[in-house]
Amino acid sequence: MRPLLLLLFFHYLSSLHVSIGSEIDAAQNPFTPKSYLIRYWTKQIDNDLPKSSFLLSKASPLSAVDYARFSKLADDPISLADHLTEFCSSAKLLCFPDLAPSLESHPKDSSFAVYSYKNFTNYGTDRTGGQDSFKNYTQNQNVVVNSFRRYSGDSVRHEHKFEFYSTDGNDVDDNFKTYSKDATDGSGEFNKYHENVNIADSKLTSYSSAANGNGQTFKNYETGNIGDSYFTSYGNAATKTPTEFKSYGLDSNVMGSHFTNYGENGNKATDTFTSYADEGNDPLNEFNNYGEKGNGATEEFTSYRDEANSGADSFTTYAKDSKSAKVNFVNYGNSTFEGPDTFTGYGQGASGQKIGFKIYGVNNTFTDYTKKTEISFASYTNATATTTSSGVGSLVNKWVEEGKFFRESKIKTGTVMAMPDIRDKMPKRWFLPRVISSKLPFSTARLPEMKSIFHASDNSSMEDMIKDALSECERKASKGETKRCVGSAEDMIDFATSVLGRNVVVRSTENTNGSTKNIMIGSVKGINGGKVTRSVSCHQSLFPYLLYYCHSVPKVRVYEADILDASSKAKINHGVAICHLDTSDWSPGHGAFVALGSSPGNIEVCHWIFENDMTWTIAD
């Protein structure tokens, strides 16, 4: 018997004194992570209540043999990295495929339908004429990774259209490198790109650099939830390259766009930004080194960030050292709730500029620009925020989903109320066994090791995912909060019992029935007799393996309630709701106060436990 299997065997024998009853099926191998979790649960929790099938379903699916094998490989993270594909497949983790370079040259017109996981190298180079069409590309895929290298370079009159590209996906990572470089008289169109994507990351590098008359149109681009678009070296040294951004980031939630070295040394470029980031929630737009040293450029920003909520814009070294540029900002940043806009080094060293600003938002930094540059501001209006009650209502309906937050008085038999979308939109993953997770690095100080293990390249979606999780897990706890990130069910049990004691139970909403509809509250049970209690709530974080952010929540009341169909009054779900009684330390801009019309410390705030989240309480 191999040493690790022998070790696991004796570990199993040492735990046989624990009563496990009939909970381990006769067919269940006692050496699997799930079997160990059941024994650990029985040992650590002092009650005979049924174990949560909900939590047990998240136990690592590794077989006994793979459990032993990968536990041994985890002793040396480099060895584990060498077997990442197999490890991710066996443990059911979220990992991006390693794309091998493609040697295909694609000399003829191509039409791709329902095509994914491909690395295009040297695609369309030196093409003359012709058209490539990408339709339904990676549509409805959970995890999408694509890389286009040297796309359409040195081509002449080559047309390419991306339609329904990476739509309705969950976690999408698209990279276009050296796109249409040195191309002449071609055209490209991105239509419905990243539409309804949950987490999107796209990088366009060396896009249309040194191109001549190569037009690009972006329509319905990035209308999803959470994402970043990077445009680097876009249109550098290009001549007469008309670019139109239409419906870019419309209705997006927390979308970031970064334009770096955009139009540098361009000649007679024409860019039109129409309906850019309109009606978005917290958009972050960064234009760095935009149009520097350009000649005769025409830039028009129309309906830019109109009706957006919060967000921020940064224009740094805009049109620096340019000549005879025309820039028109119309209806810029006219938002319901303003965000900060920063213009730094705007038009510095420029000559012959003509700038027009109309209906510009309230936050800006146009200080003494007309004194320092030759720029003339025409029809500039420093708008003031005028929010009507109807405006706030529309914002609440748009960005704070009805029913997401509610008052405690709503949890009452017979109440009809809106149920928000409680469905889990994250990729499905499983816990790692603690024997493995405890050996893997998890700290910002060891980020290079983490990137190596999960094959995360610099500036990739995987790197962003890891960094975001670390940032949340390492942030300072708020007042009265005790927190811990857990990557194994055993760690979660330990944290819950350390806060609440060993007589605990985990609660979760039974299913997602009733989501986005009106529901009726049936019978209601207050946990701990409806008295003020303490709980440990656990929320998913996006990470390669299942990772939960768990934190103790003092001064709460927890309820279980039957959820009924509002029309037939038939039971369709059994929900768990938690009411936070002390909101004094919450941010004034918290969505709960926007939705309920109050401020920190003045009201309690309740919400449902969403799918795949959970709360631990002392057992009744």
Side-chain angles (χ1 to χ4, degrees):
M1 186 177 290
R2 286 181 288 183
L4 188 57
L5 279 175
L6 187 62
L7 176 63
L8 290 171
F9 177 69
F10 283 116
H11 181 68
Y12 167 66
L13 291 179
S14 68
S15 65
L16 280 180
H17 69 280
V18 179
S19 174
I20 58 177
S22 61
E23 289 173 299
I24 297 182
D25 187 86
Q28 177 74 51
N29 188 315
F31 297 108
T32 63
K34 184 174 182 179
S35 294
Y36 176 73
L37 172 59
I38 293 173
R39 297 193 300 273
Y40 191 81
W41 188 317
T42 304
K43 183 178 179 180
Q44 297 301 113
I45 296 179
D46 286 342
N47 60 55
D48 294 326
L49 294 172
K51 295 173 176 57
S52 167
S53 58
F54 163 76
L55 187 57
L56 290 178
S57 70
K58 301 180 184 306
S60 173
L62 286 172
S63 67
V65 173
D66 284 338
Y67 181 21
R69 179 183 173 218
F70 289 118
S71 296
K72 183 64 176 177
L73 286 172
D75 290 334
D76 179 9
I78 295 178
S79 297
L80 188 62
D82 290 341
H83 296 82
L84 180 65
T85 300
E86 188 179 358
F87 177 51
C88 290
S89 176
S90 300
K92 298 190 183 303
L93 310 183
L94 171 61
C95 300
F96 294 158
D98 292 326
L99 298 178
S102 168
L103 300 179
E104 299 174 82
S105 60
H106 302 281
K108 298 181 180 179
D109 294 354
S110 301
S111 180
F112 294 89
V114 196
Y115 195 82
S116 61
Y117 298 132
K118 183 70 174 180
N119 185 2
F120 291 95
T121 305
N122 198 30
Y123 188 98
T125 301
D126 295 321
R127 289 284 303 278
T128 299
Q131 182 182 68
D132 292 312
S133 178
F134 291 79
K135 295 181 180 179
N136 300 323
Y137 190 97
T138 61
Q139 190 172 26
N140 293 313
Q141 297 289 322
N142 184 31
V143 181
V144 176
V145 181
N146 299 301
S147 182
F148 288 80
R149 300 171 186 267
R150 296 190 294 279
Y151 186 94
S152 201
D154 295 302
S155 61
V156 178
R157 298 187 303 279
H158 182 222
E159 298 181 6
H160 36 87
K161 179 184 290 187
F162 292 84
E163 189 169 354
F164 294 101
Y165 187 95
S166 293
T167 59
D168 299 300
N170 186 49
D171 195 324
V172 176
D173 185 348
D174 292 317
N175 294 306
F176 290 84
K177 300 181 180 180
T178 59
Y179 187 103
S180 293
K181 184 179 180 181
D182 296 310
T184 301
D185 293 333
S187 66
E189 180 178 347
F190 287 83
N191 190 25
K192 294 190 177 180
Y193 186 99
H194 284 180
E195 186 176 39
N196 296 323
V197 168
N198 187 29
I199 303 163
D201 191 354
S202 59
K203 298 180 178 67
L204 303 177
T205 308
S206 296
Y207 191 100
S208 287
S209 295
N212 183 19
N214 194 58
Q216 306 291 340
T217 301
F218 294 83
K219 294 181 181 179
N220 298 324
Y221 189 99
E222 296 273 18
T223 59
N225 176 44
I226 307 177
D228 277 286
S229 299
Y230 293 86
F231 293 83
T232 307
S233 298
Y234 189 108
N236 285 9
T239 300
K240 297 180 180 179
T241 53
T243 303
E244 180 179 3
F245 289 84
K246 189 174 184 179
S247 295
Y248 187 101
L250 178 69
D251 265 338
S252 292
N253 181 36
V254 198
M255 187 197 82
S257 55
H258 309 266
F259 291 82
T260 306
N261 296 333
Y262 187 103
E264 186 176 12
N265 292 309
N267 183 34
K268 297 184 179 180
T270 302
D271 294 318
T272 303
F273 291 82
T274 306
S275 186
Y276 188 99
D278 279 13
E279 302 182 33
N281 181 41
D282 201 16
L284 172 63
N285 307 120
E286 180 183 12
F287 290 81
N288 190 24
N289 197 14
Y290 187 103
E292 184 171 345
K293 299 179 181 178
N295 178 41
T298 300
E299 315 284 356
E300 182 169 350
F301 292 79
T302 306
S303 188
Y304 187 98
R305 289 186 67 248
D306 192 29
E307 299 298 333
N309 176 36
S310 299
D313 284 291
S314 175
F315 284 80
T316 307
T317 60
Y318 188 97
K320 181 180 179 182
D321 296 324
S322 60
K323 183 179 180 181
S324 300
K326 296 179 181 179
V327 183
N328 191 20
F329 289 86
V330 181
N331 199 15
Y332 185 102
N334 185 27
S335 305
T336 304
F337 285 95
E338 301 289 346
D341 300 312
T342 304
F343 283 73
T344 306
Y346 190 98
Q348 186 176 2
S351 62
Q353 298 280 31
K354 184 176 181 180
I355 311 293
F357 285 88
K358 297 181 180 180
I359 318 177
Y360 189 90
V362 297
N363 293 310
N364 56 76
T365 53
F366 290 123
T367 305
D368 296 328
Y369 267 109
T370 55
K371 297 179 182 178
K372 296 179 180 179
T373 70
E374 296 180 28
I375 294 174
S376 174
F377 290 90
S379 304
Y380 170 75
T381 301
N382 185 254
T384 57
T386 55
T387 303
T388 64
S389 58
S390 61
V392 172
S394 64
L395 182 73
V396 171
N397 291 336
K398 188 171 187 62
W399 295 122
V400 184
E401 186 181 6
E402 188 178 5
K404 185 172 183 178
F405 302 105
F406 50 90
R407 300 294 299 274
E408 192 173 12
S409 59
K410 289 282 189 180
I411 311 177
K412 180 180 175 182
T413 301
T415 298
V416 175
M417 60 186 293
M419 171 73 85
D421 188 354
I422 65 170
R423 293 172 297 179
D424 176 21
K425 295 181 175 63
M426 286 197 180
K428 194 169 185 179
R429 296 143 297 145
W430 278 258
F431 278 125
L432 285 178
R434 181 156 64 181
V435 170
I436 295 178
S437 65
S438 62
K439 296 177 182 179
L440 302 182
F442 190 85
S443 70
T444 299
R446 300 183 67 184
L447 179 61
E449 295 173 71
M450 298 175 68
K451 289 174 59 178
S452 176
I453 292 171
F454 292 106
H455 297 188
S457 57
D458 293 342
N459 301 315
S460 64
S461 291
M462 179 62 74
E463 182 190 46
D464 291 342
M465 183 194 308
I466 293 172
K467 291 168 76 172
D468 288 347
L470 289 173
S471 176
E472 178 68 6
C473 292
E474 294 177 349
R475 73 163 177 81
K476 184 179 178 181
S478 59
K479 182 180 178 181
E481 180 188 40
T482 304
K483 58 188 279 288
R484 182 181 177 185
C485 283
V486 297
S488 72
E490 298 92 332
D491 285 341
M492 182 181 285
I493 290 173
D494 284 353
F495 179 69
T497 55
S498 71
V499 174
L500 303 172
R502 296 175 64 179
N503 181 26
V504 293
V505 64
V506 61
R507 306 176 192 275
S508 60
T509 297
E510 189 173 289
N511 55 57
T512 61
N513 293 340
S515 286
T516 70
K517 300 177 181 178
N518 282 336
I519 53 96
M520 177 180 284
I521 302 297
S523 61
V524 177
K525 175 187 176 183
I527 305 305
N528 192 28
K531 298 177 183 177
V532 177
T533 186
R534 188 179 183 89
S535 71
V536 170
S537 291
C538 296
H539 314 280
Q540 280 191 86
S541 295
L542 186 61
F543 201 70
Y545 52 83
L546 189 55
L547 181 74
Y548 275 90
Y549 174 90
C550 294
H551 60 140
S552 66
V553 186
K555 296 183 181 179
V556 299
R557 276 194 280 264
V558 180
Y559 295 90
E560 289 188 345
D562 286 340
I563 295 174
L564 315 180
D565 182 274
S567 299
S568 68
K569 298 181 177 53
K571 180 182 175 181
I572 57 174
N573 202 344
H574 186 74
V576 177
I578 184 169
C579 292
H580 301 264
L581 306 181
D582 182 5
T583 60
S584 58
D585 202 43
W586 292 22
S587 165
H590 194 287
F593 302 129
V594 175
L596 302 177
S598 189
S599 57
N602 289 326
I603 61 169
E604 84 293 342
V605 173
C606 306
H607 62 84
W608 296 105
I609 299 298
F610 282 24
E611 181 185 19
N612 285 324
D613 288 347
M614 66 196 86
T615 189
W616 294 78
T617 64
I618 297 172
D620 281 345

